[in-house]
Amino acid sequence: GASIKFGHRLVNVKLPADSESPTQLEFTMGGGGTCLTACFGPVIGSDGAGSALRRAVPAFEASSDILAAGYKEVLLPAHCSQTLDQFGLHIWPRGDHFLMGLANKDGSFTGTLYLANEGDLSFSSLNSEEKWRQFLNEHYADALPYMDGVDKAAEQLYNNPLGMLGTVKVAPWRVGNRIA
């Protein structure tokens, strides 16, 4: 079975010359200098847009496009979201923006608001807690009870970092039967 390890950072990939030997991955652990080298059969990269695995494999040619929209997260606390289905994906669509809620193990939800980065109605135009309150009251009044009210939601959305969205294209998508 698969083993998932957190707190490991990939620093090197060694592709073997022959098809029988395993791929070697070298990691640092826990932010320190401790090094671990592990040998693997097939390796599937799932380390995101800034993939260290993709950068370490010369055969991969990649391009990326940053989208004109981004996202911010807001907590839907467990004590406010008890009526939401814990096994459902919750979406509040609003034309060119939307809020999505995904369940956490503790009964809370992570709300993710997707919106244009620039423009009249955008993350750049929502530059104060008051503007966030107005936006939320106008567009997401039905979701505010799950966010513990407009004041808490506006504070989080004003202060939380803006996440980038993009598309990464890689070719080839695999190297032999070793890395994908």
Side-chain angles (χ1 to χ4, degrees), residues 7-174:
H8 291 58
R9 182 171 183 250
L10 181 65
V11 293
N12 195 20
V13 177
K14 293 181 184 173
L15 295 172
D18 63 89
S19 62
E20 300 300 316
S21 300
T23 301
Q24 291 185 5
L25 302 180
E26 187 176 319
F27 299 90
T28 57
M29 299 181 298
T34 305
C35 194
L36 166 71
T37 300
C39 298
F40 295 94
V43 175
I44 299 174
S46 58
D47 53 341
S51 175
L53 181 64
R54 185 178 64 247
R55 285 193 314 269
V57 178
F60 287 144
E61 301 260 341
S63 65
S64 62
D65 296 307
I66 302 301
L67 300 180
Y71 69 92
K72 283 194 171 209
E73 293 183 346
V74 59
L75 177 66
L76 286 64
H79 72 276
C80 297
S81 54
Q82 294 170 347
T83 59
L84 293 176
D85 182 351
Q86 287 289 314
F87 299 102
L89 168 64
H90 303 277
I91 300 177
W92 292 265
R94 301 295 189 263
D96 58 355
H97 55 90
F98 69 96
L99 174 67
M100 177 177 70
L102 293 171
N104 298 315
K105 289 182 178 183
D106 66 358
S108 68
F109 284 75
T110 297
T112 308
L113 181 72
Y114 297 90
L115 181 68
N117 290 327
E118 301 290 332
D120 292 337
L121 183 56
S122 66
F123 285 116
S124 66
S125 71
L126 297 170
N127 55 13
S128 70
E129 284 187 37
E130 180 55 34
K131 288 183 180 179
W132 273 107
R133 279 191 284 280
Q134 292 170 357
F135 170 81
L136 291 166
N137 279 321
E138 181 178 344
H139 296 284
Y140 294 99
D142 58 333
L144 286 173
Y146 303 117
M147 293 185 257
D148 209 11
V150 69
D151 290 332
K152 289 187 180 178
E155 179 183 4
Q156 288 183 66
L157 288 164
Y158 176 69
N159 290 309
N160 283 352
L162 176 61
M164 294 174 29
L165 298 171
T167 303
V168 176
K169 297 176 184 172
V170 179
W173 66 270
R174 67 181 175 91

